[in-house]
Amino acid sequence: MTGRKHAASRRPWTEALWGYAFIAPTGLGLAIFYLWPVLQTAYFSFTEWGAFGGHTWTGLENYTRLIADPEVGRAVLNTLTYTVLGLLGIPLAIVFAALLNRPKLGGVTLYRTAFFLPVVTMPVAVAMLWRWLYNGDYGLINQVLALAGIDGPNWIADPATALYALIVVGVWSSVGYNLIIFLAGMQAIPKELYEAASMDGAGRVRQFFRITLPMLSPTAFFISIVSVIGSLQLFDLVFVMTGSGQAARANPAYSRLQTVVQLFYERAFVTNDRGYAAAIVMALLVLIAVLTVLQFRLQRRWVHYV
């Protein structure tokens, strides 16, 4: 009897060890490739790097410089503008998902594929395509406008249109992913709710606002979190469409297109100011964390969990 109790007492420890063994590869990978780089970058943000390597401790000097740097302020403002306006892709995706969710609609698979193509296309290819479309001399958009007698601007080189042109590309690229997620959420809503609403005399529009949108709020919350985090890390579209270094700074709309991650790239790999670049990216990490916490706080007011 005592032996059985002893074996039973050892079983939870054995199961726990097996559990830790299974998660060890993933945990080790996260520690090496995610946690350690973050800690290392945090340390480097308090240092100054020489032209040939090596670094010296400078304390809060990089952060003091960051707060007073107007270029950082412009980059943060551009990034936040892109992030906020990029959220317009969420209601757009909901509308498209609702249209594709109509019963007996033919060609749904074809529509899904067409909407999802930008998602599976490499960001560099997307940027090169839109760079050609936006070209002021031979771009397709201006060619079409010329047929109507309209002289289109150089969309990426005009400070009045550059950032908004970039936002259009971002929304276009994200609608497909958001649409698929929303469509899956709509198909998971119980049909009985719509049947009961129909019996009470509710039309399709009222059902959409009273049933579909509230039931989709957890999905919308998830997409908003992912969209904000992704938008705050915007780099590839700007880099390919505008270039970097002196080529990018020659663009008249450079100050309207510079994002936080692009500024980090230039400081780290163009001017070799790696300590300051580390401070910039750590400030971005804090900004992402603050906005994510804020979103979780605000979701209590509009997200409805069943």
Side-chain angles (χ1 to χ4, degrees):
M1 191 72 176
T2 305
R4 291 182 180 178
K5 289 183 178 179
H6 183 65
S9 64
R10 289 179 56 188
R11 188 175 303 167
W13 287 100
T14 305
E15 293 177 354
L17 288 175
W18 276 109
Y20 287 126
F22 280 120
I23 67 173
T26 302
L28 188 62
L30 290 173
I32 294 175
F33 297 109
Y34 288 90
L35 181 60
W36 173 245
V38 170
L39 296 177
Q40 194 175 37
T41 303
Y43 168 74
F44 287 153
S45 69
F46 296 98
T47 63
E48 181 180 2
W49 285 68
F52 300 99
H55 57 274
T56 56
W57 181 266
T58 58
L60 296 175
E61 181 179 332
N62 287 327
Y63 289 97
T64 304
R65 176 184 166 193
L66 184 147
I67 294 173
D69 191 348
E71 199 167 13
V72 173
R74 286 195 302 268
V76 171
L77 180 60
N78 293 337
T79 304
L80 290 177
T81 303
Y82 177 90
T83 301
V84 173
L85 294 182
L87 292 175
L88 294 175
I90 294 179
L92 192 61
I94 292 177
V95 172
F96 285 131
L99 293 175
L100 293 180
N101 196 43
R102 290 181 299 172
K104 299 180 181 179
L105 177 66
V108 174
T109 303
L110 178 62
Y111 294 135
R112 286 180 181 176
T113 304
F115 275 108
F116 202 71
L117 275 177
V119 181
V120 298
T121 305
M122 293 298 293
V124 172
V126 170
M128 292 180 66
L129 170 65
W130 280 93
R131 183 178 180 178
W132 168 70
L133 291 173
Y134 280 141
N135 188 277
D137 298 323
Y138 52 81
L140 181 61
I141 295 177
N142 281 359
Q143 294 293 328
V144 173
L145 291 177
L147 297 177
I150 301 174
D151 186 16
N154 193 336
W155 300 90
I156 297 298
D158 189 341
T161 61
L163 182 58
Y164 302 106
L166 197 68
I167 292 170
V168 169
V169 180
V171 171
W172 177 82
S173 302
S174 64
V175 163
Y177 173 81
N178 297 344
L179 181 147
I180 296 298
I181 301 298
F182 279 126
L183 192 57
M186 289 180 181
Q187 293 175 349
I189 299 175
K191 304 299 181 184
E192 294 80 5
L193 296 177
Y194 294 105
E195 294 173 358
S198 298
M199 294 177 63
D200 290 338
R204 289 187 177 274
V205 175
R206 190 171 184 182
Q207 290 177 22
F208 177 77
F209 285 100
R210 295 293 185 178
I211 298 176
T212 305
L213 285 184
M215 295 293 287
L216 278 181
S217 58
T219 306
F221 173 62
F222 163 75
I223 290 179
S224 68
I225 291 287
V226 174
S227 298
V228 168
I229 293 176
S231 297
L232 289 173
Q233 300 177 74
L234 175 67
F235 172 72
D236 42 16
L237 286 179
V238 179
F239 182 79
V240 176
M241 296 179 75
T242 64
S244 65
Q246 295 301 322
R249 292 181 179 274
N251 187 339
Y254 173 79
S255 62
R256 292 289 292 157
L257 290 173
Q258 190 178 45
T259 63
V260 176
V261 178
Q262 187 189 30
L263 181 61
F264 155 76
Y265 171 83
E266 290 183 353
R267 292 294 179 269
F269 302 107
V270 178
T271 63
N272 200 37
D273 195 356
R274 297 182 181 179
Y276 187 51
I280 291 174
V281 81
M282 289 306 300
L284 177 61
L285 177 63
V286 172
L287 178 61
I288 291 175
V290 169
L291 291 181
T292 302
V293 171
L294 181 61
Q295 285 181 284
F296 271 94
R297 293 274 187 176
L298 294 177
Q299 61 98 14
R300 302 173 185 174
R301 302 183 180 182
W302 63 278
V303 179
H304 306 280
Y305 295 101
V306 179

